[in-house]
Amino acid sequence: MPVIVIPDKCTGCETCLESCPFDAIEFRDGKAYINEYCNSCMNCLSGCPEGAIIETEPGARNTEHRQSLEDYKDVLVFAEQREGRVVPVSYELLGVGRRLSDELGARLIAVLFGAGEPEAQELVKWGADKVFLCSDASLRKFSDDVYSEMLAKIINEQKPSIVLAGATPVGRSFIPRVAARLRTGLTADCTSLEIDKETGNLLQVRPAFGGNIMAAILCPDYRPQMATVRPRVMKRGEYDENRTGEVITVQIDSTKSRTNVLEFVKEVSEVSVNLHEADIIVAGGRGIGGEKGYKLIEELAEALGGAVGASRAAIDEGWIPYSHQVGQTGKTVNPKIYFACGISGAVQHLVGMQSSDIIIAINKNPEAPIFNVATYGIVGDLFEIVPMLTKKVREVKGM
Amino acid sequence: MNIIVCIKQVPDTAEIRINPETNTLMREGVPSIINPFDLHAIEAAVQIREAGGGKVTVLTMGPPQAETSLREAISMGADEAILLSDRAFAGSDTWATSYTLALAIKKLEFDIVFCGKQAIDGDTAQVGPETAEFLGIPHISYIRKIDEVRDDYIKVERLMDDGYDVVESSLPVLLTVVRELNEPRMPSLRGKMAAKKAGIRKMCMTDIGADENSLGLRGSPTQVRNIFAPEVRAERKMIEGTAEEQVDNLIKELKDIKCL
Ligand SMILES: Cc1cc2nc3c(=O)[nH]c(=O)nc-3n(C[C@H](O)[C@H](O)[C@H](O)COP(=O)(O)OP(=O)(O)OC[C@H]3O[C@@H](n4cnc5c(N)ncnc54)[C@H](O)[C@@H]3O)c2cc1C
Ligand SMILES: Nc1ncnc2c1ncn2[C@@H]1O[C@H](COP(=O)(O)O)[C@@H](O)[C@H]1O
């Protein structure tokens, strides 16, 4: 372990216990001991009033490969396209990217493979100062080899300080290759990205251990600092019809792809489209109790013109099909209003919906954790509340 | 066909609870399991061997107690197991983990390397593709079906958000797998016997010829700065009263903010 306890200094006061988020400190014979659960987060160093906990080799981090950080300035966003159309997460990334580059006083660069000049111009309007565009038609098809080669090359030339990509199947597949090649860190599925005021480093926050805790991650000694962001976690920036920027054409790399996509078979479920596009989602959990409860949820959704979501418990019970699942192993949604009916609010569910603008929780247990994230909380029986709500919504809407 | 399966021993995150008073993870009694996605990787590897012959080697980087997971993999039909363990590996992020795994794999013969889509403790899904890059071989992520395997060729289906791709690749290749690929088998009695007797090959830093500066915490570009509990929404409003009053008040609130 990189963290050790100096036994002579340890007084056995147990103050450090609380500082460890991983339960990695044990007391053996009245002295603290760091066990194998240690994640080297270093929280305990300041958690010991005696200074008895230290890093084994202070400053042990290797900085030999470290790039000269000052050379790396801009923010670069990989804008993904599917079938020639830019995917929505790209605009969300431009929103974050614009904010970060303004804060750093740097430029925002977008990279687009396999789409055309009009799409590149759109990226400018969504915030990019410069777009590197390769419109070669063969790039419409995703190739790990070619995408990695081309993006790594652009990064090596442009030397951005920060690189952002969508945590989509495409981004999650080839961005790690790029990070490995560039010998730098990559943080997956960030839910918040901020510039650390003191150091200017990118502070990357992401859920860990199934969403039970949040971890703030830094990549202080290597550049670029790379991160992926799930769709619908961040808000789009401002669209400015009059914004101008430079579009630079890049040639396709001659690298031969060792993998080849023979065919793409489209299988979009109507449900997932609805969930992603709906302004209002009415979601049910184990509390809906079965078919009867499901009907109530569906009726409220219908009255509001919204979509139906579900917790995993409701899906495991077989009341609602999997495509409706919201959460860590389901969909991430970001509607204006999210109704959680009979959902306890397990972290795995919360990570999929807590960025909704307004959350309305209906639950008969006042202690349910869902109330911690709720904008409006109603403690009550959903079988009573939901049908009444549906009725009144219909009245208001004159249905 | 030589097949390597990378597996990770993880805490069962379904069982992890957070202590609301101290905001720390409560690990006590939380079982260690093979990362669920990796079970599908083992199953796929064993099926390929059963169909065409060859050898399945499971590989894990972890503390000595990860040996239990390797034995479990053998009980499911893997032929050999390697434990990559060294204090120098502690604190590895995905870059350092992949670097280490790749060096170990390079010491072996391989046509296909399998990984799970992601590990449930970190959920990064990065180790597979990064390892492929270090090995200098192609990879295909999110395999949901294997259509065809030949000596130097493979054809698979890759799960995408909006459907699936049919992808072909030359071998050697690294594949990361999703749950839809197969149903992992239960260990057979014979498998369990084999698991008990199996010798586990151990490898450490010097065995794989690693550069110490690229290992563990020292070699990891990312650092965990701190850990905290997910936030509580600040502007929460509880709506009191009888059911009827609650509903009326909610409707009023929604009208006030122009949501109705
Ligand atoms: C690796 C992993 C991934 C996971 N991924 C997901 C995921 O993607 N999405 C997800 O949702 N879960 C996921 N889970 C499961 C998650 O941990 C919870 O088990 C699940 O979200 C619980 O669902 P629930 O809130 O509906 O059920 P419960 O926790 O059983 O809660 C039911 C709630 O309904 C209330 N209730 C009961 N009757 C009524 C009534 N008549 N009126 C009002 N309230 C009532 C109860 O008070 C209770 O709070 C995952 C778990 C793991 C381990
Ligand atoms: N320490 C490890 N030892 C062996 N394989 C690993 C290890 N960590 C990750 N993997 C493999 O990489 C996959 C993805 O892990 P991750 O990138 O951590 O989400 C896992 O499903 C495993 O197949």
Side-chain angles (χ1 to χ4, degrees), chain A residues 285-287 310-314 325-330 342-346 348-349 362-365 368 380-383, chain B residues 13-14:
Chain A
R286 202 195 308 275
S311 76
R312 189 161 106 179
Q325 183 176 319
V326 171
Q328 194 198 342
T329 41
I343 293 178
S344 62
Q348 293 89 354
H349 188 76
I362 304 169
N363 196 305
K364 64 181 181 191
N365 174 9
D381 185 348
L382 72 90
F383 286 92
Chain B
T13 48

Side-chain angles (χ1 to χ4, degrees), chain B residues 5-9 35 37-38 41 59-62 84 94 97-98 101 114-129 131 176:
Chain B
V5 188
C6 299
I7 66 170
K8 186 176 188 188
Q9 189 179 53
N35 178 40
F37 292 96
D38 303 352
L59 168 68
T60 191
M61 178 185 105
L84 249 179
T94 58
T97 301
S98 311
L101 288 174
F114 275 108
C115 283
K117 171 194 167 199
Q118 64 192 52
I120 59 166
D121 55 351
D123 283 329
T124 77
Q126 286 168 196
V127 169
T131 302
T176 82

Side-chain angles (χ1 to χ4, degrees), chain A residues 16-227:
Chain A
C16 56
L17 279 183
E18 291 209 357
S19 68
C20 176
F22 295 104
D23 213 5
I25 305 180
E26 287 169 29
F27 276 80
R28 295 188 182 171
D29 303 328
K31 302 273 182 198
Y33 170 84
I34 314 284
N35 68 27
E36 72 275 9
Y37 293 136
C38 176
N39 270 261
S40 318
C41 74
M42 308 291 163
N43 270 354
C44 53
L45 265 54
S46 54
C48 173
E50 310 298 328
I53 308 182
I54 57 162
E55 243 185 297
T56 19
E57 304 155 67
R61 287 177 192 281
N62 164 44
T63 49
E64 188 191 312
H65 300 264
R66 170 180 180 152
Q67 292 93 339
S68 42
L69 305 188
E70 309 73 46
D71 294 348
Y72 291 77
K73 292 201 176 66
D74 296 334
V75 178
L76 185 147
V77 164
F78 176 75
E80 179 184 336
Q81 60 65 38
R82 291 288 286 163
E83 302 178 302
R85 290 180 49 190
V86 174
V87 301
V89 68
S90 310
Y91 303 125
E92 294 154 21
L93 294 171
L94 288 171
V96 199
R98 187 70 261 169
R99 175 171 58 80
L100 296 174
S101 56
D102 286 345
E103 216 166 305
L104 291 169
R107 289 171 309 183
L108 178 61
I109 299 172
V111 174
L112 178 61
F113 297 152
E117 178 81 23
E119 284 78 23
Q121 289 298 346
E122 278 295 284
L123 299 179
V124 169
K125 289 170 186 158
W126 281 105
D129 297 310
K130 245 186 190 187
V131 182
F132 286 84
L133 169 70
C134 183
S135 45
D136 195 288
S138 66
L139 289 179
R140 271 206 182 197
K141 274 207 255 178
F142 166 54
S143 155
D144 285 286
D145 283 343
V146 180
Y147 276 37
S148 304
E149 182 68 34
M150 291 182 65
L151 184 60
K153 199 164 151 221
I154 294 173
I155 292 174
N156 276 332
E157 284 166 11
Q158 297 302 314
K159 298 200 181 340
S161 172
I162 295 172
V163 172
L164 307 177
T168 59
V170 168
R172 280 188 136 200
S173 184
F174 91 98
I175 296 290
R177 283 197 90 109
V178 176
R181 189 174 304 190
L182 299 173
R183 211 261 178 255
T184 192
L186 171 60
T187 308
D189 290 352
C190 296
T191 53
S192 148
L193 294 166
E194 299 291 335
I195 304 290
D196 181 36
K197 293 274 176 309
E198 258 166 61
T199 58
N201 287 324
L202 183 66
L203 194 59
Q204 310 162 81
V205 174
R206 73 181 302 264
F209 287 95
N212 280 292
I213 49 169
M214 306 300 285
I217 312 255
L218 292 172
C219 177
D221 300 326
Y222 296 84
R223 289 295 181 267
Q225 308 161 86
M226 298 181 65

Side-chain angles (χ1 to χ4, degrees), chain B residues 21-34:
Chain B
E21 266 146 46
T22 55
N23 279 332
T24 57
L25 292 179
M26 298 190 288
R27 291 250 195 185
E28 213 164 309
V30 175
S32 286
I33 55 171
I34 295 182

Side-chain angles (χ1 to χ4, degrees), chain B residues 60-245:
Chain B
T60 191
M61 178 185 105
Q65 55 273 33
E67 195 178 310
T68 359
S69 291
L70 292 173
R71 289 193 189 278
E72 197 182 326
I74 290 177
S75 75
M76 289 175 65
D79 301 292
E80 289 180 10
I82 299 173
L83 175 66
L84 249 179
S85 198
D86 198 306
R87 288 180 76 89
F89 301 154
S92 294
D93 71 356
T94 58
W95 191 95
T97 301
S98 311
Y99 169 79
T100 311
L101 288 174
L103 284 178
I105 295 170
K106 279 184 184 166
K107 296 273 164 205
L108 312 168
E109 280 181 43
F110 61 95
D111 302 293
I112 302 178
V113 180
F114 275 108
C115 283
K117 171 194 167 199
Q118 64 192 52
I120 59 166
D121 55 351
D123 283 329
T124 77
Q126 286 168 196
V127 169
E130 292 198 31
T131 302
E133 179 67 24
F134 284 118
L135 288 171
I137 62 172
H139 82 276
I140 311 173
S141 297
Y142 315 128
I143 301 308
R144 65 164 218 182
K145 188 159 172 270
I146 299 174
D147 288 331
E148 199 182 335
V149 191
R150 281 190 257 125
D151 279 351
D152 53 356
Y153 175 90
I154 192 162
K155 192 167 109 186
V156 301
E157 287 179 15
R158 168 173 63 200
L159 186 67
M160 304 297 280
D161 275 344
D162 46 0
Y164 64 92
D165 283 330
V166 181
V167 191
E168 57 181 3
S169 174
S170 56
L171 297 189
V173 70
L174 184 145
L175 306 173
T176 82
V177 309
V178 297
R179 289 176 202 265
E180 290 82 346
L181 179 63
N182 55 36
E183 200 52 54
R185 69 190 66 187
M186 299 304 281
S188 65
L189 201 61
R190 222 178 93 217
K192 281 186 187 161
M193 298 292 289
K196 241 186 231 149
K197 282 188 289 184
I200 306 280
R201 179 168 164 200
K202 301 204 169 64
M203 284 185 169
C204 65
M205 181 176 82
T206 47
D207 295 327
I208 58 172
D211 161 23
E212 203 177 348
N213 281 327
S214 294
L215 294 177
L217 190 71
R218 272 171 83 85
S220 295
T222 60
Q223 305 176 2
V224 179
R225 195 184 74 164
N226 63 314
I227 304 271
F228 52 95
E231 263 171 47
V232 172
R233 204 172 261 238
E235 76 274 33
R236 178 180 65 171
K237 202 176 214 173
M238 295 304 285
I239 300 180
E240 318 280 348
T242 63
E244 176 119 35
E245 287 162 4

